[in-house]
PDB file of all heavy atoms in Angstrom:
ATOM      1  N   ALA N   1      -1.826   9.011  -0.159  1.00 95.00           N
ATOM      2  CA  ALA N   1      -1.140  10.076   0.575  1.00 95.00           C
ATOM      3  C   ALA N   1       0.297  10.219   0.107  1.00 95.00           C
ATOM      4  O   ALA N   1       0.819  11.337  -0.029  1.00 95.00           O
ATOM      5  CB  ALA N   1      -1.186   9.786   2.070  1.00 95.00           C
ATOM      6  N   ALA N   2       0.963   9.085  -0.171  1.00 95.00           N
ATOM      7  CA  ALA N   2       2.343   9.120  -0.655  1.00 95.00           C
ATOM      8  C   ALA N   2       2.440   9.831  -1.997  1.00 95.00           C
ATOM      9  O   ALA N   2       3.363  10.619  -2.241  1.00 95.00           O
ATOM     10  CB  ALA N   2       2.885   7.695  -0.767  1.00 95.00           C
ATOM     11  N   GLU N   3       1.487   9.566  -2.871  1.00 93.00           N
ATOM     12  CA  GLU N   3       1.503  10.202  -4.189  1.00 93.00           C
ATOM     13  C   GLU N   3       1.339  11.721  -4.081  1.00 93.00           C
ATOM     14  O   GLU N   3       1.909  12.469  -4.879  1.00 93.00           O
ATOM     15  CB  GLU N   3       0.397   9.600  -5.057  1.00 93.00           C
ATOM     16  CG  GLU N   3       0.676   8.154  -5.457  1.00 93.00           C
ATOM     17  CD  GLU N   3      -0.495   7.486  -6.162  1.00 93.00           C
ATOM     18  OE1 GLU N   3      -1.650   7.869  -5.894  1.00 93.00           O
ATOM     19  OE2 GLU N   3      -0.259   6.571  -6.969  1.00 93.00           O
ATOM     20  N   GLU N   4       0.590  12.170  -3.093  1.00 93.00           N
ATOM     21  CA  GLU N   4       0.356  13.609  -2.949  1.00 93.00           C
ATOM     22  C   GLU N   4       1.600  14.363  -2.507  1.00 93.00           C
ATOM     23  O   GLU N   4       1.749  15.546  -2.807  1.00 93.00           O
ATOM     24  CB  GLU N   4      -0.789  13.855  -1.965  1.00 93.00           C
ATOM     25  CG  GLU N   4      -2.156  13.442  -2.510  1.00 93.00           C
ATOM     26  CD  GLU N   4      -3.288  13.791  -1.563  1.00 93.00           C
ATOM     27  OE1 GLU N   4      -3.000  14.311  -0.456  1.00 93.00           O
ATOM     28  OE2 GLU N   4      -4.459  13.546  -1.923  1.00 93.00           O
ATOM     29  N   VAL N   5       2.505  13.691  -1.793  1.00 94.00           N
ATOM     30  CA  VAL N   5       3.718  14.376  -1.321  1.00 94.00           C
ATOM     31  C   VAL N   5       4.971  13.887  -2.048  1.00 94.00           C
ATOM     32  O   VAL N   5       6.091  14.223  -1.669  1.00 94.00           O
ATOM     33  CB  VAL N   5       3.891  14.203   0.204  1.00 94.00           C
ATOM     34  CG1 VAL N   5       2.769  14.918   0.941  1.00 94.00           C
ATOM     35  CG2 VAL N   5       3.965  12.740   0.606  1.00 94.00           C
ATOM     36  N   GLY N   6       4.797  13.093  -3.090  1.00 93.00           N
ATOM     37  CA  GLY N   6       5.928  12.688  -3.915  1.00 93.00           C
ATOM     38  C   GLY N   6       6.801  11.591  -3.334  1.00 93.00           C
ATOM     39  O   GLY N   6       7.997  11.513  -3.648  1.00 93.00           O
ATOM     40  N   VAL N   7       6.223  10.745  -2.496  1.00 95.00           N
ATOM     41  CA  VAL N   7       6.971   9.590  -1.976  1.00 95.00           C
ATOM     42  C   VAL N   7       6.751   8.412  -2.923  1.00 95.00           C
ATOM     43  O   VAL N   7       5.608   7.975  -3.104  1.00 95.00           O
ATOM     44  CB  VAL N   7       6.515   9.222  -0.551  1.00 95.00           C
ATOM     45  CG1 VAL N   7       7.199   7.927  -0.095  1.00 95.00           C
ATOM     46  CG2 VAL N   7       6.833  10.354   0.420  1.00 95.00           C
ATOM     47  N   PRO N   8       7.814   7.893  -3.543  1.00 94.00           N
ATOM     48  CA  PRO N   8       7.628   6.804  -4.531  1.00 94.00           C
ATOM     49  C   PRO N   8       7.371   5.458  -3.851  1.00 94.00           C
ATOM     50  O   PRO N   8       8.181   4.982  -3.063  1.00 94.00           O
ATOM     51  CB  PRO N   8       8.963   6.797  -5.281  1.00 94.00           C
ATOM     52  CG  PRO N   8       9.966   7.320  -4.275  1.00 94.00           C
ATOM     53  CD  PRO N   8       9.222   8.320  -3.427  1.00 94.00           C
ATOM     54  N   ILE N   9       6.227   4.861  -4.151  1.00 95.00           N
ATOM     55  CA  ILE N   9       5.909   3.501  -3.719  1.00 95.00           C
ATOM     56  C   ILE N   9       5.449   2.742  -4.956  1.00 95.00           C
ATOM     57  O   ILE N   9       4.511   3.171  -5.639  1.00 95.00           O
ATOM     58  CB  ILE N   9       4.801   3.488  -2.647  1.00 95.00           C
ATOM     59  CG1 ILE N   9       5.279   4.196  -1.369  1.00 95.00           C
ATOM     60  CG2 ILE N   9       4.383   2.051  -2.321  1.00 95.00           C
ATOM     61  CD1 ILE N   9       4.221   4.257  -0.275  1.00 95.00           C
ATOM     62  N   GLU N  10       6.104   1.647  -5.254  1.00 90.00           N
ATOM     63  CA  GLU N  10       5.730   0.854  -6.427  1.00 90.00           C
ATOM     64  C   GLU N  10       4.332   0.271  -6.249  1.00 90.00           C
ATOM     65  O   GLU N  10       3.935  -0.092  -5.144  1.00 90.00           O
ATOM     66  CB  GLU N  10       6.731  -0.281  -6.646  1.00 90.00           C
ATOM     67  CG  GLU N  10       8.034   0.157  -7.294  1.00 90.00           C
ATOM     68  CD  GLU N  10       7.816   0.661  -8.717  1.00 90.00           C
ATOM     69  OE1 GLU N  10       7.038   0.031  -9.467  1.00 90.00           O
ATOM     70  OE2 GLU N  10       8.414   1.686  -9.067  1.00 90.00           O
ATOM     71  N   TYR N  11       3.594   0.190  -7.332  1.00 88.00           N
ATOM     72  CA  TYR N  11       2.271  -0.424  -7.292  1.00 88.00           C
ATOM     73  C   TYR N  11       1.933  -0.955  -8.670  1.00 88.00           C
ATOM     74  O   TYR N  11       2.574  -0.616  -9.657  1.00 88.00           O
ATOM     75  CB  TYR N  11       1.201   0.595  -6.849  1.00 88.00           C
ATOM     76  CG  TYR N  11       0.918   1.675  -7.877  1.00 88.00           C
ATOM     77  CD1 TYR N  11      -0.049   1.484  -8.864  1.00 88.00           C
ATOM     78  CD2 TYR N  11       1.626   2.880  -7.876  1.00 88.00           C
ATOM     79  CE1 TYR N  11      -0.296   2.463  -9.820  1.00 88.00           C
ATOM     80  CE2 TYR N  11       1.385   3.853  -8.830  1.00 88.00           C
ATOM     81  CZ  TYR N  11       0.422   3.643  -9.794  1.00 88.00           C
ATOM     82  OH  TYR N  11       0.177   4.606 -10.745  1.00 88.00           O
ATOM     83  N   ALA N  12       0.900  -1.791  -8.719  1.00 82.00           N
ATOM     84  CA  ALA N  12       0.405  -2.283 -10.008  1.00 82.00           C
ATOM     85  C   ALA N  12      -1.110  -2.309  -9.994  1.00 82.00           C
ATOM     86  O   ALA N  12      -1.766  -1.505 -10.641  1.00 82.00           O
ATOM     87  CB  ALA N  12       0.980  -3.658 -10.320  1.00 82.00           C
ATOM     88  N   CYS N  13      -1.691  -3.219  -9.195  1.00 83.00           N
ATOM     89  CA  CYS N  13      -3.145  -3.424  -9.309  1.00 83.00           C
ATOM     90  C   CYS N  13      -3.981  -2.427  -8.509  1.00 83.00           C
ATOM     91  O   CYS N  13      -5.121  -2.168  -8.848  1.00 83.00           O
ATOM     92  CB  CYS N  13      -3.495  -4.843  -8.866  1.00 83.00           C
ATOM     93  SG  CYS N  13      -3.371  -5.130  -7.085  1.00 83.00           S
ATOM     94  N   ARG N  14      -3.439  -1.898  -7.419  1.00 86.00           N
ATOM     95  CA  ARG N  14      -4.155  -0.987  -6.509  1.00 86.00           C
ATOM     96  C   ARG N  14      -5.412  -1.644  -5.934  1.00 86.00           C
ATOM     97  O   ARG N  14      -6.327  -0.960  -5.504  1.00 86.00           O
ATOM     98  CB  ARG N  14      -4.545   0.328  -7.213  1.00 86.00           C
ATOM     99  CG  ARG N  14      -3.374   1.125  -7.729  1.00 86.00           C
ATOM    100  CD  ARG N  14      -3.809   2.453  -8.325  1.00 86.00           C
ATOM    101  NE  ARG N  14      -4.056   3.443  -7.294  1.00 86.00           N
ATOM    102  CZ  ARG N  14      -3.251   4.469  -7.025  1.00 86.00           C
ATOM    103  NH1 ARG N  14      -2.125   4.610  -7.690  1.00 86.00           N
ATOM    104  NH2 ARG N  14      -3.567   5.332  -6.092  1.00 86.00           N
ATOM    105  N   GLN N  15      -5.458  -2.950  -5.900  1.00 85.00           N
ATOM    106  CA  GLN N  15      -6.626  -3.670  -5.404  1.00 85.00           C
ATOM    107  C   GLN N  15      -6.297  -4.613  -4.258  1.00 85.00           C
ATOM    108  O   GLN N  15      -7.169  -5.299  -3.741  1.00 85.00           O
ATOM    109  CB  GLN N  15      -7.277  -4.472  -6.541  1.00 85.00           C
ATOM    110  CG  GLN N  15      -7.809  -3.602  -7.659  1.00 85.00           C
ATOM    111  CD  GLN N  15      -8.391  -4.428  -8.794  1.00 85.00           C
ATOM    112  OE1 GLN N  15      -8.647  -5.624  -8.630  1.00 85.00           O
ATOM    113  NE2 GLN N  15      -8.617  -3.816  -9.934  1.00 85.00           N
ATOM    114  N   GLY N  16      -5.032  -4.678  -3.871  1.00 88.00           N
ATOM    115  CA  GLY N  16      -4.660  -5.526  -2.757  1.00 88.00           C
ATOM    116  C   GLY N  16      -4.283  -6.938  -3.126  1.00 88.00           C
ATOM    117  O   GLY N  16      -4.165  -7.783  -2.242  1.00 88.00           O
ATOM    118  N   TYR N  17      -4.071  -7.204  -4.420  1.00 83.00           N
ATOM    119  CA  TYR N  17      -3.818  -8.572  -4.856  1.00 83.00           C
ATOM    120  C   TYR N  17      -2.370  -8.834  -5.273  1.00 83.00           C
ATOM    121  O   TYR N  17      -1.838  -9.901  -5.010  1.00 83.00           O
ATOM    122  CB  TYR N  17      -4.740  -8.937  -6.023  1.00 83.00           C
ATOM    123  CG  TYR N  17      -6.198  -8.967  -5.632  1.00 83.00           C
ATOM    124  CD1 TYR N  17      -7.062  -7.945  -6.009  1.00 83.00           C
ATOM    125  CD2 TYR N  17      -6.706 -10.007  -4.873  1.00 83.00           C
ATOM    126  CE1 TYR N  17      -8.405  -7.968  -5.639  1.00 83.00           C
ATOM    127  CE2 TYR N  17      -8.041 -10.031  -4.499  1.00 83.00           C
ATOM    128  CZ  TYR N  17      -8.887  -9.014  -4.885  1.00 83.00           C
ATOM    129  OH  TYR N  17     -10.196  -9.031  -4.504  1.00 83.00           O
ATOM    130  N   CYS N  18      -1.732  -7.882  -5.936  1.00 85.00           N
ATOM    131  CA  CYS N  18      -0.423  -8.177  -6.510  1.00 85.00           C
ATOM    132  C   CYS N  18       0.695  -8.147  -5.477  1.00 85.00           C
ATOM    133  O   CYS N  18       1.691  -8.833  -5.628  1.00 85.00           O
ATOM    134  CB  CYS N  18      -0.112  -7.216  -7.656  1.00 85.00           C
ATOM    135  SG  CYS N  18       0.287  -5.528  -7.133  1.00 85.00           S
ATOM    136  N   GLY N  19       0.570  -7.331  -4.437  1.00 89.00           N
ATOM    137  CA  GLY N  19       1.580  -7.270  -3.393  1.00 89.00           C
ATOM    138  C   GLY N  19       2.766  -6.387  -3.707  1.00 89.00           C
ATOM    139  O   GLY N  19       3.717  -6.312  -2.916  1.00 89.00           O
ATOM    140  N   LEU N  20       2.756  -5.692  -4.826  1.00 90.00           N
ATOM    141  CA  LEU N  20       3.908  -4.878  -5.212  1.00 90.00           C
ATOM    142  C   LEU N  20       4.092  -3.674  -4.285  1.00 90.00           C
ATOM    143  O   LEU N  20       5.208  -3.182  -4.118  1.00 90.00           O
ATOM    144  CB  LEU N  20       3.744  -4.411  -6.665  1.00 90.00           C
ATOM    145  CG  LEU N  20       4.962  -3.749  -7.321  1.00 90.00           C
ATOM    146  CD1 LEU N  20       6.143  -4.705  -7.307  1.00 90.00           C
ATOM    147  CD2 LEU N  20       4.647  -3.317  -8.735  1.00 90.00           C
ATOM    148  N   CYS N  21       3.027  -3.198  -3.659  1.00 94.00           N
ATOM    149  CA  CYS N  21       3.106  -1.985  -2.835  1.00 94.00           C
ATOM    150  C   CYS N  21       3.357  -2.298  -1.359  1.00 94.00           C
ATOM    151  O   CYS N  21       3.052  -1.487  -0.483  1.00 94.00           O
ATOM    152  CB  CYS N  21       1.827  -1.156  -2.980  1.00 94.00           C
ATOM    153  SG  CYS N  21       0.349  -1.959  -2.315  1.00 94.00           S
ATOM    154  N   LYS N  22       3.938  -3.446  -1.063  1.00 96.00           N
ATOM    155  CA  LYS N  22       4.230  -3.808   0.325  1.00 96.00           C
ATOM    156  C   LYS N  22       5.209  -2.819   0.956  1.00 96.00           C
ATOM    157  O   LYS N  22       6.234  -2.470   0.361  1.00 96.00           O
ATOM    158  CB  LYS N  22       4.855  -5.204   0.397  1.00 96.00           C
ATOM    159  CG  LYS N  22       3.952  -6.355   0.036  1.00 96.00           C
ATOM    160  CD  LYS N  22       4.725  -7.662   0.146  1.00 96.00           C
ATOM    161  CE  LYS N  22       3.902  -8.861  -0.292  1.00 96.00           C
ATOM    162  NZ  LYS N  22       4.677 -10.118  -0.189  1.00 96.00           N
ATOM    163  N   ILE N  23       4.909  -2.378   2.159  1.00 97.00           N
ATOM    164  CA  ILE N  23       5.825  -1.558   2.942  1.00 97.00           C
ATOM    165  C   ILE N  23       5.702  -1.974   4.408  1.00 97.00           C
ATOM    166  O   ILE N  23       4.720  -2.605   4.806  1.00 97.00           O
ATOM    167  CB  ILE N  23       5.536  -0.039   2.793  1.00 97.00           C
ATOM    168  CG1 ILE N  23       4.082   0.265   3.171  1.00 97.00           C
ATOM    169  CG2 ILE N  23       5.873   0.459   1.406  1.00 97.00           C
ATOM    170  CD1 ILE N  23       3.765   1.759   3.182  1.00 97.00           C
ATOM    171  N   LYS N  24       6.669  -1.592   5.214  1.00 97.00           N
ATOM    172  CA  LYS N  24       6.673  -1.957   6.635  1.00 97.00           C
ATOM    173  C   LYS N  24       5.976  -0.860   7.437  1.00 97.00           C
ATOM    174  O   LYS N  24       6.279   0.322   7.294  1.00 97.00           O
ATOM    175  CB  LYS N  24       8.112  -2.137   7.114  1.00 97.00           C
ATOM    176  CG  LYS N  24       8.250  -2.549   8.562  1.00 97.00           C
ATOM    177  CD  LYS N  24       7.864  -3.989   8.760  1.00 97.00           C
ATOM    178  CE  LYS N  24       8.085  -4.449  10.202  1.00 97.00           C
ATOM    179  NZ  LYS N  24       9.528  -4.592  10.536  1.00 97.00           N
ATOM    180  N   LEU N  25       5.029  -1.271   8.275  1.00 97.00           N
ATOM    181  CA  LEU N  25       4.387  -0.355   9.213  1.00 97.00           C
ATOM    182  C   LEU N  25       5.276  -0.270  10.438  1.00 97.00           C
ATOM    183  O   LEU N  25       5.511  -1.269  11.116  1.00 97.00           O
ATOM    184  CB  LEU N  25       2.999  -0.863   9.583  1.00 97.00           C
ATOM    185  CG  LEU N  25       2.212  -0.032  10.600  1.00 97.00           C
ATOM    186  CD1 LEU N  25       1.846   1.334  10.010  1.00 97.00           C
ATOM    187  CD2 LEU N  25       0.955  -0.773  11.044  1.00 97.00           C
ATOM    188  N   LEU N  26       5.788   0.946  10.753  1.00 97.00           N
ATOM    189  CA  LEU N  26       6.719   1.125  11.863  1.00 97.00           C
ATOM    190  C   LEU N  26       6.008   1.440  13.169  1.00 97.00           C
ATOM    191  O   LEU N  26       6.451   1.036  14.243  1.00 97.00           O
ATOM    192  CB  LEU N  26       7.729   2.228  11.527  1.00 97.00           C
ATOM    193  CG  LEU N  26       8.575   1.981  10.267  1.00 97.00           C
ATOM    194  CD1 LEU N  26       9.459   3.183   9.977  1.00 97.00           C
ATOM    195  CD2 LEU N  26       9.406   0.710  10.423  1.00 97.00           C
ATOM    196  N   SER N  27       4.898   2.170  13.077  1.00 97.00           N
ATOM    197  CA  SER N  27       4.132   2.475  14.286  1.00 97.00           C
ATOM    198  C   SER N  27       2.691   2.781  13.904  1.00 97.00           C
ATOM    199  O   SER N  27       2.401   3.199  12.776  1.00 97.00           O
ATOM    200  CB  SER N  27       4.736   3.662  15.044  1.00 97.00           C
ATOM    201  OG  SER N  27       4.613   4.861  14.281  1.00 97.00           O
ATOM    202  N   GLY N  28       1.795   2.559  14.870  1.00 96.00           N
ATOM    203  CA  GLY N  28       0.387   2.798  14.625  1.00 96.00           C
ATOM    204  C   GLY N  28      -0.315   1.552  14.096  1.00 96.00           C
ATOM    205  O   GLY N  28       0.288   0.476  13.989  1.00 96.00           O
ATOM    206  N   GLU N  29      -1.579   1.724  13.743  1.00 96.00           N
ATOM    207  CA  GLU N  29      -2.387   0.627  13.244  1.00 96.00           C
ATOM    208  C   GLU N  29      -3.122   1.051  11.979  1.00 96.00           C
ATOM    209  O   GLU N  29      -3.476   2.223  11.830  1.00 96.00           O
ATOM    210  CB  GLU N  29      -3.407   0.171  14.298  1.00 96.00           C
ATOM    211  CG  GLU N  29      -2.783  -0.401  15.556  1.00 96.00           C
ATOM    212  CD  GLU N  29      -3.835  -0.876  16.543  1.00 96.00           C
ATOM    213  OE1 GLU N  29      -5.047  -0.667  16.263  1.00 96.00           O
ATOM    214  OE2 GLU N  29      -3.463  -1.437  17.580  1.00 96.00           O
ATOM    215  N   VAL N  30      -3.338   0.084  11.091  1.00 97.00           N
ATOM    216  CA  VAL N  30      -4.075   0.352   9.858  1.00 97.00           C
ATOM    217  C   VAL N  30      -5.138  -0.718   9.663  1.00 97.00           C
ATOM    218  O   VAL N  30      -5.075  -1.797  10.264  1.00 97.00           O
ATOM    219  CB  VAL N  30      -3.139   0.379   8.620  1.00 97.00           C
ATOM    220  CG1 VAL N  30      -2.078   1.443   8.760  1.00 97.00           C
ATOM    221  CG2 VAL N  30      -2.509  -0.994   8.389  1.00 97.00           C
ATOM    222  N   THR N  31      -6.098  -0.405   8.817  1.00 96.00           N
ATOM    223  CA  THR N  31      -7.076  -1.385   8.373  1.00 96.00           C
ATOM    224  C   THR N  31      -6.933  -1.543   6.862  1.00 96.00           C
ATOM    225  O   THR N  31      -6.551  -0.601   6.163  1.00 96.00           O
ATOM    226  CB  THR N  31      -8.512  -0.956   8.708  1.00 96.00           C
ATOM    227  OG1 THR N  31      -8.796   0.306   8.061  1.00 96.00           O
ATOM    228  CG2 THR N  31      -8.695  -0.798  10.218  1.00 96.00           C
ATOM    229  N   MET N  32      -7.228  -2.746   6.382  1.00 95.00           N
ATOM    230  CA  MET N  32      -7.131  -3.023   4.948  1.00 95.00           C
ATOM    231  C   MET N  32      -8.363  -3.800   4.506  1.00 95.00           C
ATOM    232  O   MET N  32      -8.692  -4.839   5.100  1.00 95.00           O
ATOM    233  CB  MET N  32      -5.854  -3.814   4.637  1.00 95.00           C
ATOM    234  CG  MET N  32      -4.576  -3.030   4.847  1.00 95.00           C
ATOM    235  SD  MET N  32      -3.065  -4.005   4.520  1.00 95.00           S
ATOM    236  CE  MET N  32      -3.020  -5.021   6.002  1.00 95.00           C
ATOM    237  N   ASP N  33      -9.049  -3.314   3.477  1.00 90.00           N
ATOM    238  CA  ASP N  33     -10.220  -4.012   2.950  1.00 90.00           C
ATOM    239  C   ASP N  33      -9.827  -5.333   2.305  1.00 90.00           C
ATOM    240  O   ASP N  33     -10.551  -6.323   2.390  1.00 90.00           O
ATOM    241  CB  ASP N  33     -10.965  -3.140   1.935  1.00 90.00           C
ATOM    242  CG  ASP N  33     -11.594  -1.906   2.573  1.00 90.00           C
ATOM    243  OD1 ASP N  33     -11.906  -1.965   3.776  1.00 90.00           O
ATOM    244  OD2 ASP N  33     -11.773  -0.903   1.861  1.00 90.00           O
ATOM    245  N   VAL N  34      -8.681  -5.350   1.620  1.00 88.00           N
ATOM    246  CA  VAL N  34      -8.176  -6.546   0.949  1.00 88.00           C
ATOM    247  C   VAL N  34      -6.698  -6.683   1.287  1.00 88.00           C
ATOM    248  O   VAL N  34      -5.944  -5.714   1.196  1.00 88.00           O
ATOM    249  CB  VAL N  34      -8.337  -6.456  -0.584  1.00 88.00           C
ATOM    250  CG1 VAL N  34      -7.802  -7.713  -1.261  1.00 88.00           C
ATOM    251  CG2 VAL N  34      -9.799  -6.225  -0.954  1.00 88.00           C
ATOM    252  N   ASP N  35      -6.276  -7.873   1.689  1.00 89.00           N
ATOM    253  CA  ASP N  35      -4.850  -8.079   1.973  1.00 89.00           C
ATOM    254  C   ASP N  35      -4.335  -9.377   1.370  1.00 89.00           C
ATOM    255  O   ASP N  35      -3.395  -9.989   1.869  1.00 89.00           O
ATOM    256  CB  ASP N  35      -4.572  -8.036   3.472  1.00 89.00           C
ATOM    257  CG  ASP N  35      -5.216  -9.184   4.227  1.00 89.00           C
ATOM    258  OD1 ASP N  35      -5.964  -9.964   3.598  1.00 89.00           O
ATOM    259  OD2 ASP N  35      -4.963  -9.314   5.445  1.00 89.00           O
ATOM    260  N   ASP N  36      -4.949  -9.782   0.261  1.00 84.00           N
ATOM    261  CA  ASP N  36      -4.570 -11.040  -0.389  1.00 84.00           C
ATOM    262  C   ASP N  36      -3.117 -11.048  -0.844  1.00 84.00           C
ATOM    263  O   ASP N  36      -2.506 -12.110  -0.980  1.00 84.00           O
ATOM    264  CB  ASP N  36      -5.473 -11.308  -1.599  1.00 84.00           C
ATOM    265  CG  ASP N  36      -6.901 -11.646  -1.200  1.00 84.00           C
ATOM    266  OD1 ASP N  36      -7.370 -11.061  -0.210  1.00 84.00           O
ATOM    267  OD2 ASP N  36      -7.540 -12.473  -1.867  1.00 84.00           O
TER     268      ASP N  36
END
């Protein structure tokens, strides 16, 4: 969703392993298939 509106979030593996795309959740709830 961030990529579609031009919000820059660093990433590498896109698989939940490297941790480069960490961000703070301010409100609401999310689910994650992988959170290693």
Side-chain angles (χ1 to χ4, degrees):
E3 290 172 331
E4 290 184 357
V5 294
V7 174
I9 296 178
E10 282 295 318
Y11 70 89
C13 72
R14 299 184 80 106
Q15 297 178 15
Y17 295 105
C18 73
L20 190 59
C21 66
K22 292 180 184 179
I23 56 174
K24 181 74 176 288
L25 178 67
L26 301 176
S27 66
E29 296 182 355
V30 300
T31 60
M32 292 178 285
D33 293 333
V34 180
D35 66 355
D36 290 36

